[in-house]
Amino acid sequence: MAIFSKLSRRRFLAIASASTGTALLHGCLGNPPEAANNQSAPVASPVVDLKPEMMPEVKTIKLGYLPIVEAAPLIVAKEKGLFAKYGMPDVSIDKQANWGSARDNVKIGSAGGGTDGGQWQMPMPYLISEGIITDNTKVPMYVLAQLNTQGNGIAIANKHLSKGLSLKISEQVAFFDKLKSEGSKFKAAYTFPKANQEFWIRYWLAGNGIDPDKEVELLTVPTAQTVADMKRGAMDAFSTGDPWPYRIVTEKIGFISALTAEIWKNHPEEYLAIRKDWVDKHPKATKAILKALMEAQQWCDNFDNRKELASILARREYFGLPEKILIEPLMGKYNLGERSIDDKSMAPLYWKDEKGSVSYPYQSHDLWFLTESVRWGFLPKDTLAKAKDLIKQVNREDLWREAAKELGVAAADIPTSTSRGVETFFDGTKFDPEKPQAYLDSLKIKRV
Ligand code: CA
């Protein structure tokens, strides 16, 4: 959408009192890109009617992000002046050194020099709300939107090439047993424990009949060390967000055994969550942020925009990476090393996927992350009994709905249920959000 680049932020603000609103949206509805193309012209005026009842209480918020493709909608909302468009001209998007820093910064809040919220792996907002990863200090948070589905992968060191480590592991336990008996247990890493990246590698292993707690050594490695550690042979596998797995392939350090989109097609990935105290105090500003985010997600989702998206994310102040490493995964072109995938439906998706809304934060997905936490013994068994109440406190899908309506999102694009329904994984396992215990019962490898 050229209109974004042609209009300065000042121009956005100058015309913000006129109205019309949502015509802009229709040109951006992304997936599949072929359908969106026909609608992108003529360009409507990018104005928004800031009625008094929608005027944000504040013009600023500090949001953290990590340099992986999950952060794209936050960066685009800032870069394209969308936060300003909805009355929030001073939103600051701050790169976090790692997930631990992101957690520490939201714990102290912007008043203490930290952040008010930002990008999160699940179930971090729950673990922070409950004080589980914040030294028993409960910092209540609200999950407000999902940033993307898919876009992650499991990288394996080159020394394991041609040993049958793919989505399905051919030699199964024998391979891992052999390493164990040789005193070089398979080491699998992620940058933060007990969240998405650990869940994906655990799911991949367990779905192949390998007990991740017995056959494998799982470890947390700081982001900055991951590529170097794999290069020098200190780790065998690494679970992370694009473009890092792809970078490992292009630098000939390793290959990708599986995209997370293969493990669980259209799986929930990362989220926008903000401190409860900030949202409760600034409900209109929260909705302004959500509207800007949704519009950015629609822009990011359009594959016609992904080259420009790669060039924005590549910049020094954001990811500081060569654009060519970003563009291929963003287009769903994955050189996995042993095989390749060229399929836009496997790329990170930001607004719509085959299951419907990406941005809407389904409560059924929060429940899966909590159930999976129980599966691996990260959270106590009684979490399932409390899950419904916990999710009601943390997941504010109601605010997402209000913001979507204000933005003029078509009714068909607003989910009617808080559940996406039954989910199916690559090993055939099903998760019915109505019966989380039945899911746990069905699993062979678990700690509960
Ligand atoms: Ca991720």
Side-chain angles (χ1 to χ4, degrees), residues 70 152 197 269-270:
E70 289 86 333
N152 283 239
Q197 290 165 7
E269 187 48 37
E270 292 181 15

Side-chain angles (χ1 to χ4, degrees), residues 68-70 99 119-122 148 150-153 191 195-197 200 239-242 260 267-270:
I68 42 180
V69 295
E70 289 86 333
W99 290 108
Q119 168 196 351
W120 301 100
Q121 298 190 73
M122 274 292 183
N148 69 299
Q150 312 188 130
N152 283 239
T191 55
N196 289 44
Q197 290 165 7
W200 302 146
S239 168
T240 187
D242 287 334
T260 53
H267 68 81
E269 187 48 37
E270 292 181 15

